[in-house]
Amino acid sequence: MSEPEKNTPNTSISGVVATLAPTLPAAAIYVIIFLILRKSHRRWYAPRTYLGALRDEERTTPLPNGLFNWIRPFWQIPDTYALQHQSLDAYLFLRFLKMTVVIMFVGCCITWPILFPITITGHGGRSQLDILTFGNVRTNKPDGYRFFAHAGVGCIFFGFVLFLVTRETMFYINLRQAFLLSPVYANRISARTVLFTAVPKPYLDEGKLRKVFGSAVRRVWITADTTTVDELVEERDEVAQKLEAAEVKLIRLANKERLKAIKQGANQEDQPPGQQGADTESGSLAARWVPTKKRPTHRTGKFGLIGQKVDTINWCRSRLESLIPDADAAQRAYRAGETEPIGAVFIEFARQSDAQAAFQTLSHHQALHMSPRYIGVNPNEVVWKSMKVSWWQRVIRRFAVLGFITALIIFWAIPVGLVGIVSNVSYLVQISFLTWLNKIPTAIMGVISGLLPSVALAILMSLVPIIMRLCAKLSGEPSIARVELFTQNAYFAFQVIQVFLVLSLGSVASAVVDEIRKDPGRTVTLLAERIPTVSNFYLSYFIIQGLTIASGVLSQVVGFVIFNLIYRFLAGTPRKMYMKWANLSAISWGSTLPVFTNIACIGIIYSIIAPLMLAFATIGMSFFYIAYRYNILFVTDSQIDTKGLIYPRALQQLLTGVYISELLLVGMFGIAKAPGPAIIMAIFLVFTILYHLSINAAFDPLLHNLPKSIDVEEEELLLETGVANVGEANEKNGQTSVAVPQKKVNFLSKFLKPHLFEDYAHLRRLVPTGLVDPDSLYDEPTAANAYYPPSVTAEVPLLWIPRDEGGISVQEIAHTSKVIAITDEGASLDEKNKIVWDEEGARPPLWTPKIYY
């Protein structure tokens, strides 16, 4: 490439140093905080080791409690432990992070030994970190032949990425089949239930549906309008929660006054016992300590700001006396089919194979009717508002949402482009009215061009997933899992366009704006020459992501502070304390994976243009792998189940980086007047397209369907191993293994031949089997209610209040229980009038066992 302007400043090293200066100490502080707090705050840093809300089989073995003695046992836990004790998604998320580290590290091994010597001696006149980029190779004849090395290395590295994506897709398919066919999953009601959307009115009839699908049908749930029951149940539960909060407030107010009286010399034995107050007038015991005007009150108007002021406890009891029977009547009416059907049907089949057959069969003779259909939808993940979307509404909504997202991407380019311009602020000094920038010290200029744009970009991108999830629901996605997959696709497109394309173009344009103004005819050449230097911004971006963000993920300082503030000061009832304590945080796959997929894509894109990028990507992704590995094993829970589909989707998205890199190289070889390398890369681009189309055609059906032949494979394997089912496997270190003689295979053979050494027969040994009894997953009422809307099956809530020594809770229970169930078991007020409950066991009266739908 041509030599850069002599007066053009190069702040690549100062930018990296300026980014490292604040981020490295910040990361160290985060890690130190984690090491210290981890010892004393088990609820936040190791809840999966003991929390009573989890089954014993879901818990992780605790690590040693020292500052550093936990590290070795932590590394000895295999990643498959996440598959055994949490979810398929969690395990595959870790595997994806590990695969990106592998790609980046192998990229370093392939590119550095060849491309670094060639670019360093390329006589391009670059300096600092730019000497390691594609732009440091001159385009004249003696040096032009060096570009053949770039083309050759590019083909080798991109070929490796294609192979790895193919290999891992095969791995996923085999693991998915083994997981779905395991007794623990195959017997779940979601595995045997198919959701049909856009069902025409004539087929919203159970008898007709049974004729269509035959005797294999076990149950049919025809969704109907829930407006009335939703409103009644929502109001009932809100009033119940208000009553509970008021009861707790009254008890604490009274107990506070009682403790104050005792402190001032009153005799404890003079206090009226709870048993005597149970049958007396409502509130009589509390009235001794709390005057009527200080009892909990509220206004009945909008937002509690207007309307009549009433006693909250008496008003809620009175209101519930009518709301509870009204809600029960509405629920019975829905079950009896007295409400209007809305066009979606859940059909449960006797066996998983029957459900798969129905899922894979064309169900209706008219286009877009009884379609799309879905299998494996968890009842807890259904987006019930999407059930009423007709086929034509779905089409219109999908186009409208795609149009909105396109417009959002276009207009979001404005602030992101400004970030890109700031990242190259040192080049703007050439513009006449910005010459004052020369007065800024180099160190501060490095911070402005390195740290500031990276932070601004992270803030900008954090707002996007919220919008994407809303778009997914508006488009008619039927489940939360599908919403996450939609978000993963849309957010990745957003990441690539904004974080890479727009930001890169903004950075490049700002760097050469003065030269383009002087010589517009060289615009394309100038832009191509500056593309390698944009990698300097991404070095800073990777540093911030890999150090600050990864250490923040590990330490969770912000979440720790918020959790403790809410739990100590804002959770004013036993219920709120329990819900905050027992509910673990979860990773949102749709907004988390695209960030790392995009980082990996950027590493692939710059792998040949600026190979140094691969080292920073390797280190950054390694830090993320460590942080998320700890969190998944000890902290977080999986609340959304995509059956692992996040993994092949992320693998496919990695090829975006391959395509962009190949196109960039073809263009840059052309501009550098190197026709030979350009032709080589163009041929490889065509090969990549054809190969990608071929593997998609081969793998796509296997990503969503279970083939019939796999049932035969399973039966034959069971006969060979001499066990009745996979559940007779032995579990060791989180890995389940069937007693099959296994030959030791070297790593290279296993890596290069996944079709032989990581096939269905091998991977079925990883599938969890000991979590629950697959033959008794739920009782008959639970199964019969599985696919009713939540408002139809919602029971009257049990109120939970703390017990006090003054006996006020006993009297309140006696009177409130005439209207709604209430208890004071498992919670009490201590000598400081604070609510205490069994945090270790974490199974209070509100606790219900997890249902594996």
Side-chain angles (χ1 to χ4, degrees), residues 248-257 289-290 294 296 833:
V248 173
K249 184 177 181 181
L250 177 66
I251 292 169
R252 293 189 69 182
L253 281 173
N255 194 58
K256 180 181 178 181
E257 296 300 321
W289 309 108
V290 181
K294 288 189 177 181
N833 202 36

Side-chain angles (χ1 to χ4, degrees), residues 75 96-112 116 157 160 538-539 541-543 545-547 550 596 598-604 607 610-627:
W75 278 115
F96 178 77
L97 293 180
K98 184 188 289 186
M99 288 304 108
T100 58
V101 175
V102 170
I103 290 173
M104 299 302 119
F105 178 73
V106 172
C108 290
C109 296
I110 293 173
T111 59
W112 284 19
F116 273 179
F157 178 59
F160 171 76
Y538 290 110
L539 294 180
Y541 181 68
F542 286 177
I543 290 170
Q545 291 286 329
L547 288 177
F596 303 122
N598 188 53
I599 290 175
C601 283
I602 293 172
I604 293 171
S607 59
L612 182 64
M613 178 79 71
L614 292 169
F616 285 80
T618 301
I619 296 170
M621 295 306 295
S622 298
F623 287 157
F624 274 116
Y625 169 70
I626 294 169

Side-chain angles (χ1 to χ4, degrees), residues 528-769:
E529 290 174 354
R530 290 298 180 189
I531 285 176
T533 64
V534 180
S535 62
N536 297 327
F537 164 75
Y538 290 110
L539 294 180
S540 300
Y541 181 68
F542 286 177
I543 290 170
I544 289 180
Q545 291 286 329
L547 288 177
T548 310
I549 307 300
S551 59
V553 168
L554 183 65
S555 64
Q556 307 176 77
V557 174
V558 176
F560 173 77
V561 172
I562 293 174
F563 172 84
N564 280 280
L565 287 175
I566 292 176
Y567 184 74
R568 293 178 182 275
F569 302 108
L570 299 180
T573 68
R575 180 188 304 273
K576 291 179 180 177
M577 294 177 72
Y578 166 70
M579 297 301 291
K580 189 64 183 173
W581 186 267
N583 289 338
L584 300 180
S585 57
I587 299 173
S588 300
W589 310 122
S591 54
T592 304
L593 258 173
V595 175
F596 303 122
T597 311
N598 188 53
I599 290 175
C601 283
I602 293 172
I604 293 171
I605 290 167
Y606 281 99
S607 59
I608 309 301
I609 299 171
L612 182 64
M613 178 79 71
L614 292 169
F616 285 80
T618 301
I619 296 170
M621 295 306 295
S622 298
F623 287 157
F624 274 116
Y625 169 70
I626 294 169
Y628 277 105
R629 189 174 191 273
Y630 182 89
N631 280 352
I632 283 175
L633 292 177
F634 294 96
V635 180
T636 63
D637 193 18
S638 293
Q639 298 177 358
I640 300 172
D641 182 15
T642 71
K643 313 297 184 297
L645 282 172
I646 55 173
Y647 189 55
R649 188 160 294 197
L651 290 173
Q652 289 284 316
Q653 290 168 350
L654 285 179
L655 297 183
T656 304
V658 175
Y659 284 123
I660 294 175
S661 187
E662 290 173 348
L663 286 169
L664 269 177
L665 287 172
V666 170
M668 293 179 73
F669 287 145
I671 293 171
K673 299 176 182 178
I679 292 171
I680 292 173
M681 195 49 60
I683 293 173
F684 196 83
L685 173 61
V686 174
F687 166 77
T688 303
I689 295 171
L690 296 176
Y691 182 83
H692 192 191
L693 292 173
S694 299
I695 62 170
N696 280 353
F699 289 152
D700 273 355
L702 295 171
L703 293 176
H704 305 282
N705 306 303
L706 276 179
K708 284 185 171 294
S709 61
I710 206 71
D711 289 325
V712 179
E713 291 283 325
E714 177 67 14
E715 290 177 7
E716 291 179 353
L717 286 168
L718 292 176
L719 290 174
E720 290 176 10
T721 56
V723 294
N725 55 56
V726 187
E728 295 182 20
N730 299 315
E731 188 172 317
K732 183 179 180 182
N733 289 332
Q735 295 192 24
T736 305
S737 57
V738 174
V740 184
Q742 297 293 323
K743 295 180 180 179
K744 288 188 176 180
V745 183
N746 63 64
F747 170 78
L748 192 60
S749 296
K750 189 175 180 180
F751 184 79
L752 296 177
K753 299 178 180 178
H755 58 290
L756 296 179
F757 302 111
E758 288 186 337
D759 61 356
Y760 172 79
H762 287 76
L763 294 182
R764 68 196 285 273
R765 296 181 293 115
L766 300 180
V767 175
T769 59

Side-chain angles (χ1 to χ4, degrees), residues 3 20 30 100 110 200 244 393 395 403 432 473 539 561 626 649 697 751 762 792 823 831:
E3 293 189 13
L20 271 173
Y30 278 143
T100 58
I110 293 173
E244 181 182 79
Q393 288 177 325
V395 172
S432 56
K473 292 179 180 179
L539 294 180
V561 172
I626 294 169
R649 188 160 294 197
F751 184 79
H762 287 76
V792 176
T823 183
E831 64 279 0

Side-chain angles (χ1 to χ4, degrees), residues 127 140 240 278 328 397 408 440 506 549 695 726 742 789 831:
S127 61
N140 55 15
D328 289 343
R397 287 182 180 215
L408 186 68
I440 299 177
I549 307 300
I695 62 170
V726 187
Q742 297 293 323
E831 64 279 0

